[in-house]
């Protein structure tokens, strides 16, 4: 994770960003701190990336890389405003001794990649259409040695996979069908017949931008209906307020890069 001490909406690179909307930087840090404390309270280790001035979106740490079995496939951001973030993430992983593979294709890390280690023998779901380019899916497959299923995003409000779909345990997902092309919807229905299916309201409250440890599902507190669906499916919803960071087009998952040893 990376503290939002420099967070601001200084440019608009997704439909949620409005440069005329004021951001309460102090409140953003408080809300982020609560998220971090929630993860620690659930028994998880949290490593911190040092925020850098001039990179207001660094708080969205999930976009900096994608990690599977100790191998890191690095990010190459689509927009120049975020490009310098990639080097900060690479430095972190290399300092930790992780095997880092530099990308040659545009991709935004866990923003557009999700991993399910027990689904169909170990599967990567990968989004494209707005940020990550389709050739990056093939590059990730070669880098990580895991089959990659390409899913086309068609609604600009859901510009990253992680605002439309999330893994809720090692073999199942929650997703909003309307974010995907008709063909991609068919693929998801075939691969995950027992998925938790979200609706437009769930998606618009950034409910899909969540993190789960297989039992505890940390999600945006606005997503009350989705929390109910997850509880009915046997999970334990843990709501967290992140209204300030939502102004940048992100929520729980965007703030968290998962380290898979």
């Amino acid at each position: 994770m990376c503290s939002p001490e420099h967070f601001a909406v200084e440019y608009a690179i997704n439909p949620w960003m409005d440069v005329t909307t004021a951001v309460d930087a102090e409140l953003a840090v408080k809300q982020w701190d609560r998220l971090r404390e929630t993860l620690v309270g659930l028994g998880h280790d949290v490593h911190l990336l040092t925020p850098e001035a001039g990179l207001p979106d660094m708080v969205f740490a999930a976009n900096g890389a994608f990690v599977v079995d100790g191998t890191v496939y690095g990010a190459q951001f689509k927009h120049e405003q975020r490009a310098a973030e990639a080097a900060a993430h690479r430095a972190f992983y290399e300092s930790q001794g992780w095997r880092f593979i530099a990308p040659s294709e545009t991709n935004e890390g866990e923003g557009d990649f999700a991993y399910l280690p027990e689904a169909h023998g170990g599967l990567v779901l990968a989004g494209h259409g707005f940020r990550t380019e389709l050739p990056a899916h093939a590059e990730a497959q070669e880098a990580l040695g895991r089959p990659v299923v390409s899913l086309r995003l068609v609604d600009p409000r859901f510009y990253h996979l992680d605002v439309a779909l999330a893994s809720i345990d090692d073999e199942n997902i929650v997703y909003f069908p309307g974010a995907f092309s008709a063909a991609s919807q068919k693929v998801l229905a075939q691969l995950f017949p027992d998925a938790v299916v979200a609706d437009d309201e769930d998606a618009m409250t950034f409910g899909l931008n969540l993190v789960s440890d297989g039992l505890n599902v940390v999600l945006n507190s606005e997503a009350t209906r989705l929390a109910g669906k997850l509880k009915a499916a046997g999970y334990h919803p843990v709501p967290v307020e992140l209204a300030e960071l939502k102004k940048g087009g992100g929520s729980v998952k965007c703030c968290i890069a998962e380290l898979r040893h």
Side-chain angles (χ1 to χ4, degrees):
M1 298 180 70
C2 182
S3 170
E5 61 184 74
H6 300 299
F7 176 66
V9 180
E10 298 173 348
Y11 46 77
I13 57 173
N14 68 58
W16 304 91
M17 301 177 87
D18 180 356
V19 295
T20 66
T21 300
V23 170
D24 185 332
E26 186 177 343
L27 181 57
V29 172
K30 285 181 179 178
Q31 291 176 347
W32 176 89
D33 269 332
R34 181 69 188 123
L35 173 60
R36 180 183 56 80
E37 290 164 1
T38 297
L39 294 175
V40 172
L42 291 170
H44 302 292
D45 295 324
V46 177
H47 300 255
L48 298 179
L49 192 64
T50 303
E52 298 181 16
L55 296 175
D57 280 342
M58 266 188 82
V59 62
F60 301 129
N63 304 150
F66 177 54
V67 184
V68 174
D69 291 343
T71 297
V72 184
Y73 176 55
Q76 183 172 293
F77 288 86
K78 178 178 177 69
H79 296 288
E80 62 178 352
Q81 293 96 329
R82 299 195 65 186
E85 294 177 39
H89 285 273
R90 179 173 186 166
F92 167 81
Y93 287 108
E94 291 183 337
S95 73
Q96 299 287 320
W98 293 69
R99 177 174 175 243
F100 187 92
I101 296 177
S104 58
E105 304 291 348
T106 298
N107 84 89
E108 300 200 347
E110 285 197 321
D112 276 319
F113 290 104
Y115 182 52
L116 292 106
E118 293 182 15
H120 307 280
L123 205 59
V124 174
L125 302 180
H128 68 100
F130 297 102
R131 296 292 184 86
T132 295
E133 299 291 340
L134 193 55
H137 295 185
E139 187 174 63
Q141 181 167 277
E142 287 299 307
L144 302 170
R146 293 288 181 276
V148 175
V149 175
S150 295
L151 303 167
R152 187 160 72 91
L153 297 162
V154 295
D155 187 330
R157 297 173 301 175
F158 310 113
Y159 58 94
H160 272 154
L161 184 72
D162 72 0
V163 290
L165 177 151
S167 61
I168 44 177
D169 57 36
D170 286 346
E171 56 187 355
N172 204 10
I173 63 169
V174 56
Y175 73 104
F176 171 52
F180 299 92
S181 69
S184 292
Q185 289 181 40
K186 289 180 181 178
V187 169
L188 286 168
Q190 183 177 334
L191 288 174
F192 302 99
D194 299 321
V196 176
V197 179
D199 60 25
D200 191 74
E201 179 183 309
D202 301 325
M204 290 296 287
T205 54
F206 273 68
L208 282 303
N209 195 242
L210 59 81
V211 167
S212 174
D213 59 16
L215 172 62
N216 302 292
V217 182
V218 184
L219 78 168
N220 195 299
S221 58
E222 292 180 41
T224 53
R225 201 153 79 182
L226 182 60
K229 293 175 185 176
L230 291 163
K231 188 172 184 179
Y235 300 91
H236 176 233
V238 183
V240 178
E241 171 64 57
L242 283 179
E244 288 306 299
L245 294 178
K246 187 180 173 185
K247 295 175 181 177
S251 189
V252 173
K253 175 58 198 170
C254 287
C255 294
I256 300 164
E258 295 178 58
L259 304 179
R260 302 176 187 89
H261 291 279

